[in-house]
Amino acid sequence: MIEGSFEFKGLLESILYGSGSSQLSVPPRVPPAVADYSNPFILKLHGFWSESSGELCMVGTGSALLQEGTLLTPVAVLKLYNIKTSNSITTLITGTLESLSPSNDNNYFETISILMPPQLNYKFTIVSGDSVDEISSESQFEENFPIDSVLQGRSFCSKFTSLVFRNVFNLQYTGCRSSKKCLPGDGVIANLPCSISLSAINCTDVLKRVRIFLKFDVKHSRHDKRFDPSTTLIGEGIWDDKKNQLHFLLCRFLDIENSWSNAHVGDCTTGLSLRFPTIWSIKETSIIMGKIWTNKTEDDSGYFENIVFRSTENHMHALPDLKYEYTEHYRVRNLCPEKKLGRNRKRRYPSPNSIGMKFNMLVESSEGRTGWGSANALTVNSQLYIHARLSFASIRDDFSKPTRWEPQGRANISYRIDIKWHTPPKLTDEDNASIVPDEKMEITAEGIYDADTGGLCMIGCRKLDQPLGNASIDCGILLNFQFAPVKGLENGGYIRGEIKSIREKSDLLYFDHLDVSSVAYNREQARHTIWTMDLEIALVVISQTLVCLSVRSQLYHSKRHPNRLPFTSLVMLVILALGQLSPLVLNYEALFYHKNDQGTVLFQTGGWLKANEVIIRITSMVAFLLYFRILQQAFSSRSKDGNGKGLRFAEEMTLLVTLPLYVSGAIIVLLVDRANYKRDIVLLPISPVDYWQRSTLDDLKSYAGLISDGFLLPQILFNIFSNSRANALRPSFYIGTSLVRLLPHVYDLYCDHSYVEYKGTFIYANPAENFFSTVWDVIIPIGVLLFAAIIYLQQQFGGCCIVPKRFRWSESYENIPMVSES
């Protein structure tokens, strides 16, 4: 007998999710402290272990903190049995965790049954080198990767843990009928699981053997680790060097209906084979395939038909020696005729191995459903499609390649296309649910890409989540895409295409055609984007520097002529100061880069953008402080000026006019149809498509930019209400600031919008900070120049010089003393 103590940590996680190889279950009625798995449940136990009987008994106290802050201190006894005698797959360690608190106590919890496979001195008993042929009798000789190609220098356990035991496998029932059971044990057709997941208990590299749990699940998830012995099998596996397969013999948990005290493992008649195919095809693109079968005969109890499974996560880089076999040559030749190249149609299109062959797309069905998807090239001719990660260096290296036209010819190509729908289907009484595309559409396609015309034509097969009859795949799909030329703006700079069914409309697998569009990426557009970003960064720095110089000149003007300072509109200064403050408050660096966890990727430009970001932030802060200083001086000068009452009246009238005007404009902006402001901005081909719909915040920020453009309006109104002739604003100030406000619109009007603008490249003329369009780019500069001209006239001839005499203020308001030029 050995006495000791230990800390039983993570019990709650073990109970609900399983910790390591321990698998436990919670009875129906459990107090919140135990049932809430977000709270830690810790037991400190001490007791004894009997070596002769293999029993462990420990008593102790625990602690559990509820979410509302209540601390519970349960007292419990832990009993484990068969610890010593359990060393094979057919034996289990069982036990209980019982509460010693009264049933009416808050610390009481119902008895928890414990069930775990043995770990100490475990022996593989049902699989061995001699039993491989017997276990693999149902598997067939197929061309699979040998163990060395699968491991790629890694250990057996390490490779299979990352490749197999972290994957989810979709199930396909080959001959399941309502009159027969379809799963080991008590599986019936009414509640068939759709996937399985494997988890390793222990593994040995030398013998290439592994012990696993196999869990049947009705959901596609590898994160749900709750243990249910009725849907879980336990087994041992061994690698077969002859067939290059991993074979398992699986057993069931028995006698678990009422209590786990007598639970044991038996009925080891279920086999599983797992292989790594060397060849992909249009109908098969899984890196891992397998089969589950039973050794029982059809008349035996527990017999079930064979089950085929395939991996859901298929990355070609996991097995770089994969080959692709083109099987649709005949149909491709008939449905994809070769286009003749005209004499004057010699344009350069992306080469088959270029990064431009991988793209994201917007998909719209004829029923009005929209979604986004991605098209990833798998192979080009007999080679895997290899693309380099986009970076500034790779782009610039690509620029050095010759740009003259050369014939490239046609190439065999294969694709994987994934589509996710945003909107649900619209069904009519005549529609059948089976013909409507699923929420997720997976298509594998192969065909021909003509690099001289930019045409891509393929035959596709889509996977069916809910097979119709014996059909689990639909290969009656035709895909046509037209790429944009590398240089030029044909097709609007977009990849456009169509996905349609070539079946009869009466066929259950028929679906209406899908229109596809995507922003094309090419070298010319990347060159233009980089050049534009460099230019816009320089323009922003120049503009901010000009703002600081203009404000500094106004401070100098106020210092030389302090008697003119009271005649500066406070509303105007507040607008200018807030205009500099808002980029600092609204996270200005979001213009330059995005976090990877949001799925956005911008050019990797090193410290160039960040260095300019720092400069811009510094100049914005300096400009804000200068504006704030002028505002402080103007406000202080009002109290010292003898005309404080009249100036206060003029300022209040200015605010009374501008505030309702600004509020009304904001309401109008929010009421305008958002569709007028929608702009599709697609990210680089290495990222998911991001279609940007303007938000309310975007609209308000743009409207705030419009108010900043008209910053002279409060000063004009102030001059009218005060009939001031004072040169309160220095020409270099209001002319320089006006130039800063109108130049982005002139730039936006002048620059070439035909190239693709990626999200994150809007640095100078940012549509999220102002209204930019052909109309606004004309109206706003005219308005800015008009306001500057009005200020000049008012400072020369008086504030009311622009107001007709019949509408001017009465004489009593005109008697506010004016400041002369002297």
Side-chain angles (χ1 to χ4, degrees):
M1 181 180 298
I2 299 177
E3 295 186 3
S5 64
F6 68 95
E7 208 172 73
F8 204 72
K9 291 185 177 180
L11 175 63
L12 194 59
E13 288 79 0
S14 298
I15 293 170
L16 294 180
Y17 284 102
S19 176
S21 61
S22 301
Q23 303 292 335
L24 303 95
S25 178
V26 179
R29 188 173 73 85
V30 181
V34 179
D36 188 358
Y37 55 82
S38 62
N39 299 317
F41 184 50
I42 301 175
L43 284 174
K44 294 183 178 180
L45 306 168
H46 66 276
F48 64 89
W49 174 40
S50 174
E51 292 184 88
S52 59
S53 63
E55 296 180 1
L56 174 69
C57 181
M58 287 192 168
V59 180
T61 60
S63 62
L65 184 64
L66 302 183
Q67 289 184 347
E68 59 268 20
T70 304
L71 180 64
L72 299 180
T73 56
V75 181
V77 56
L78 173 67
K79 298 178 181 179
L80 296 178
Y81 307 99
N82 303 326
I83 295 180
K84 183 178 180 180
T85 58
S86 298
N87 59 4
S88 66
I89 195 169
T90 57
T91 57
L92 295 170
I93 299 174
T94 60
T96 58
L97 182 66
E98 302 177 14
S99 175
L100 298 181
S101 302
S103 59
N104 57 353
D105 194 301
N106 288 335
N107 295 310
Y108 174 81
F109 60 90
E110 290 190 356
T111 301
I112 298 173
S113 297
I114 299 175
L115 178 65
M116 65 180 71
Q119 288 275 22
L120 186 64
N121 299 324
Y122 179 80
K123 298 179 181 178
F124 288 88
T125 56
I126 62 173
V127 295
S128 63
D130 298 332
S131 62
V132 170
D133 294 335
E134 181 181 351
I135 299 174
S136 62
S137 59
E138 287 291 329
S139 63
Q140 300 175 352
F141 280 93
E142 295 172 281
E143 190 173 354
N144 304 316
F145 279 113
I147 188 65
D148 294 335
S149 298
V150 176
L151 297 182
Q152 299 178 44
R154 296 173 60 181
S155 66
F156 174 83
C157 296
S158 172
K159 182 66 174 182
F160 278 80
T161 298
S162 61
L163 193 61
V164 178
F165 302 127
R166 294 179 182 175
N167 214 322
V168 176
F169 302 89
N170 288 334
L171 298 178
Q172 179 183 347
Y173 298 91
T174 56
C176 185
R177 299 184 297 273
S178 59
S179 60
K180 292 186 177 294
K181 293 181 179 179
C182 304
L183 292 174
D186 300 325
V188 294
I189 197 170
N191 52 358
L192 289 179
C194 60
S195 65
I196 60 170
S197 59
L198 308 178
S199 57
I201 303 173
N202 59 321
C203 179
T204 169
D205 288 319
V206 178
L207 301 176
K208 296 184 179 62
R209 299 180 188 177
V210 60
R211 184 168 50 139
I212 66 165
F213 283 121
L214 183 148
K215 176 187 174 186
F216 291 93
D217 200 343
V218 294
K219 296 181 180 179
H220 297 271
S221 175
R222 65 170 181 265
H223 303 293
D224 186 4
K225 298 181 180 179
R226 289 175 176 84
F227 177 70
D228 183 359
S230 63
T231 60
T232 304
L233 303 179
I234 186 172
E236 296 178 357
I238 185 172
W239 180 263
D240 183 355
D241 289 318
K242 296 179 181 179
K243 296 183 178 180
N244 292 322
Q245 297 182 9
L246 187 61
H247 300 298
F248 293 91
L249 191 60
L250 303 172
C251 311
R252 294 174 54 206
F253 291 94
L254 304 176
D255 296 334
I256 55 175
E257 290 78 10
N258 300 322
S259 173
W260 287 5
S261 59
N262 297 321
H264 63 281
V265 173
D267 190 14
C268 302
T269 58
T270 302
L272 182 147
S273 64
L274 185 147
R275 64 187 185 90
F276 303 87
T278 59
I279 299 177
W280 277 10
S281 67
I282 191 173
K283 296 181 180 180
E284 193 55 71
T285 56
S286 300
I287 61 172
I288 304 175
M289 295 180 61
K291 183 172 65 172
I292 303 173
W293 70 90
T294 180
N295 293 328
K296 296 181 179 181
T297 62
E298 191 169 355
D299 297 329
D300 293 338
S301 175
Y303 173 84
F304 63 92
E305 298 288 344
N306 291 350
I307 304 172
V308 177
F309 62 86
R310 295 174 175 83
S311 56
T312 58
E313 297 183 6
N314 301 301
H315 306 289
M316 299 187 71
H317 59 77
L319 297 172
D321 295 330
L322 273 172
K323 303 296 181 182
Y324 186 91
E325 181 180 352
Y326 295 91
T327 59
E328 299 291 338
H329 293 289
Y330 179 76
R331 288 208 299 165
V332 169
R333 283 197 300 267
N334 290 339
L335 297 175
C336 303
E338 183 176 359
K339 296 181 181 179
K340 293 184 179 180
L341 184 64
R343 254 182 220 179
N344 300 323
R345 302 286 293 179
K346 294 182 179 181
R347 292 185 174 89
R348 295 184 60 251
Y349 291 90
S351 63
N353 285 308
S354 69
I355 193 173
M357 299 303 294
K358 181 178 181 179
F359 58 93
N360 298 302
M361 55 190 175
L362 175 67
V363 183
E364 184 175 2
S365 69
S366 57
E367 297 95 351
R369 300 183 72 194
T370 58
W372 63 268
S374 60
N376 300 307
L378 299 178
T379 58
V380 177
N381 292 324
S382 60
Q383 296 181 345
L384 297 181
Y385 171 79
I386 300 175
H387 62 277
R389 186 173 180 84
L390 188 62
S391 64
F392 254 48
S394 63
I395 295 175
R396 296 186 187 279
D397 292 342
D398 199 29
F399 289 159
S400 61
K401 296 179 181 179
T403 58
R404 65 186 182 88
W405 183 87
E406 293 180 357
Q408 301 183 70
R410 288 153 61 93
N412 294 321
I413 195 166
S414 62
Y415 265 85
R416 173 171 175 169
I417 298 174
D418 297 303
I419 300 173
K420 291 185 179 179
W421 297 102
H422 294 315
T423 53
K426 297 179 180 178
L427 297 178
T428 63
D429 295 337
E430 298 179 355
D431 290 332
N432 188 302
S434 61
I435 69 173
V436 180
D438 301 324
E439 292 305 312
K440 183 179 180 181
M441 198 178 204
E442 297 181 8
I443 298 176
T444 306
E446 66 177 55
I448 294 177
Y449 172 65
D450 192 337
D452 296 330
T453 62
L456 174 62
C457 181
M458 298 183 292
I459 296 295
C461 296
R462 62 167 175 148
K463 296 179 182 178
L464 303 176
D465 289 340
Q466 297 179 347
L468 300 178
N470 294 324
S472 60
I473 192 169
D474 170 24
C475 291
I477 300 176
L478 180 64
L479 302 91
N480 274 296
F481 298 96
Q482 177 60 50
F483 284 81
V486 171
K487 188 173 182 179
L489 300 171
E490 185 181 281
N491 222 29
Y494 281 79
I495 300 172
R496 302 189 184 277
E498 181 185 53
I499 302 175
K500 64 180 181 180
S501 175
I502 55 178
R503 296 179 179 272
E504 298 292 334
K505 288 189 175 182
S506 58
D507 196 311
L508 290 176
L509 296 177
Y510 174 84
F511 62 91
D512 289 334
H513 74 278
L514 308 176
D515 293 321
V516 175
S517 62
S518 172
V519 172
Y521 168 77
N522 56 54
R523 188 186 311 127
E524 187 70 20
Q525 293 166 347
R527 188 204 303 270
H528 201 315
T529 300
I530 296 171
W531 180 86
T532 301
M533 291 175 66
D534 292 340
L535 174 63
E536 292 190 4
I537 289 172
L539 290 175
V540 171
V541 174
I542 293 173
S543 297
Q544 290 298 111
T545 304
L546 183 58
V547 168
C548 294
L549 293 176
S550 300
V551 182
R552 184 65 186 86
S553 69
Q554 181 63 24
L555 279 172
Y556 179 75
H557 178 71
S558 301
K559 185 176 181 180
R560 288 189 58 191
H561 307 283
N563 56 339
R564 302 178 185 177
L565 193 56
F567 293 91
T568 305
S569 172
L570 300 180
V571 177
M572 177 193 69
L573 295 176
V574 168
I575 291 175
L576 291 173
L578 292 178
Q580 294 297 323
L581 181 63
S582 59
L584 302 176
V585 175
L586 296 176
N587 193 13
Y588 194 78
E589 66 269 15
L591 297 176
F592 298 96
Y593 65 91
H594 299 270
K595 296 181 179 179
N596 289 333
D597 58 2
Q598 294 175 336
T600 56
V601 177
L602 192 57
F603 301 103
Q604 300 174 356
T605 58
W608 170 230
L609 286 177
K610 289 190 175 182
N612 285 279
E613 174 201 344
V614 172
I615 296 174
I616 294 170
R617 291 176 70 89
I618 291 175
T619 54
S620 296
M621 180 60 70
V622 171
F624 169 74
L625 294 176
L626 293 176
Y627 279 129
F628 187 78
R629 177 58 179 165
I630 297 178
L631 178 62
Q632 182 186 28
Q633 291 180 350
F635 185 80
S636 301
S637 64
R638 294 278 179 91
S639 60
K640 300 176 183 178
D641 192 90
N643 303 312
K645 185 177 181 180
L647 295 176
R648 188 181 307 111
F649 167 78
E651 196 71 61
E652 291 175 351
M653 292 298 296
T654 300
L655 186 62
L656 187 64
V657 174
T658 55
L659 187 59
L661 181 64
Y662 294 154
V663 173
S664 301
I667 294 175
I668 293 174
V669 168
L670 296 177
L671 292 179
V672 171
D673 185 10
R674 295 286 173 81
N676 294 334
Y677 298 110
K678 183 177 180 181
R679 296 184 66 177
D680 290 340
I681 303 177
V682 182
L683 296 182
L684 299 181
I686 56 175
S687 304
V689 180
D690 184 10
Y691 298 99
W692 173 32
Q693 174 101 31
R694 288 179 62 95
S695 64
T696 301
L697 180 61
D698 292 328
D699 291 333
L700 293 178
K701 287 169 63 177
S702 297
Y703 181 65
L706 181 63
I707 294 177
S708 297
D709 290 339
F711 73 98
L712 288 175
L713 178 61
Q715 184 66 48
I716 293 173
L717 295 175
F718 180 84
N719 291 340
I720 292 175
F721 292 127
S722 63
N723 197 16
S724 169
R725 189 180 295 179
N727 291 331
L729 303 182
R730 190 172 184 176
S732 60
F733 168 72
Y734 67 84
I735 293 177
T737 307
S738 297
L739 287 176
V740 172
R741 299 308 308 177
L742 66 85
L743 281 179
H745 296 279
V746 176
Y747 167 81
D748 185 68
L749 190 65
Y750 170 77
C751 71
D752 181 13
H753 288 288
S754 57
Y755 68 94
V756 178
E757 294 172 314
Y758 302 111
K759 188 177 183 180
T761 61
F762 295 107
I763 297 175
Y764 186 56
N766 190 348
E769 291 194 344
N770 211 319
F771 293 113
F772 290 99
S773 66
T774 303
V775 177
W776 283 112
D777 290 341
V778 173
I779 294 176
I780 291 178
I782 291 176
V784 170
L785 294 175
L786 179 62
F787 283 175
I790 292 175
I791 290 293
Y792 174 80
L793 294 176
Q794 286 181 327
Q795 294 187 161
Q796 294 293 324
F797 306 107
C800 293
C801 67
I802 62 172
V803 181
K805 292 184 178 181
R806 57 190 295 183
F807 297 110
R808 293 183 183 179
W809 293 95
S810 62
E811 191 66 24
S812 61
Y813 295 115
E814 294 180 358
N815 288 334
I816 298 177
M818 304 301 154
V819 179
S820 63
E821 288 298 322
S822 62

